Amino acid sequence: MSQYMGSRPGAPGRETADKLKERFQWLESFSDDELREISFCRPGEALSGDEIYFDISHPERGVIQGEEGTVSPEESCYVPRSSISRHLWEKLTNRF
């Protein structure tokens, strides 16, 4: 499981900017502040049918529509659209 950190110490669903850049080199063009804003679903967390997601570990898959009864896969890094700013969402998803 990933180390989580955010604006509050121990905030769930957040990784340090350095860890994200280390894991996903395609995020190098993002500022540390932008990367600190990214919040992930925890592995096994239920997905909402009213939400869209982007898996930064597999960006080539594009935007994913949540479905009731499904969960975030163990090795995924799903970012819920509602958890980040519009600007950051567009920057993440427009490359793919």
Side-chain angles (χ1 to χ4, degrees):
M1 186 180 285
S2 300
Q3 289 288 91
Y4 295 104
M5 188 176 119
S7 55
R8 313 184 309 275
R14 299 195 188 265
E15 287 196 35
T16 64
D18 288 342
K19 290 248 185 217
L20 284 172
K21 287 180 182 180
E22 183 180 309
R23 281 183 71 192
F24 308 109
Q25 291 189 0
W26 71 271
L27 295 175
E28 283 291 325
S29 64
F30 289 74
S31 72
D32 288 355
D33 286 340
E34 287 173 325
L35 294 176
R36 281 188 209 101
E37 182 184 337
I38 296 174
S39 182
F40 301 100
C41 296
R42 293 187 182 276
E45 182 177 328
L47 302 181
S48 170
D50 296 331
E51 181 71 87
I52 56 175
Y53 301 87
F54 186 73
D55 183 0
I56 67 167
S57 62
H58 296 286
E60 70 280 0
R61 294 180 185 163
V63 174
I64 302 161
Q65 176 66 50
E67 294 181 28
E68 297 298 329
T70 60
V71 297
S72 179
E74 190 65 35
E75 295 298 319
S76 70
C77 291
Y78 278 24
V79 178
R81 165 60 192 100
S82 63
S83 71
I84 61 175
S85 69
R86 180 179 177 184
H87 165 77
L88 185 53
W89 178 259
E90 289 175 1
K91 189 171 179 178
L92 280 173
T93 60
N94 283 342
R95 289 182 70 172
F96 303 95

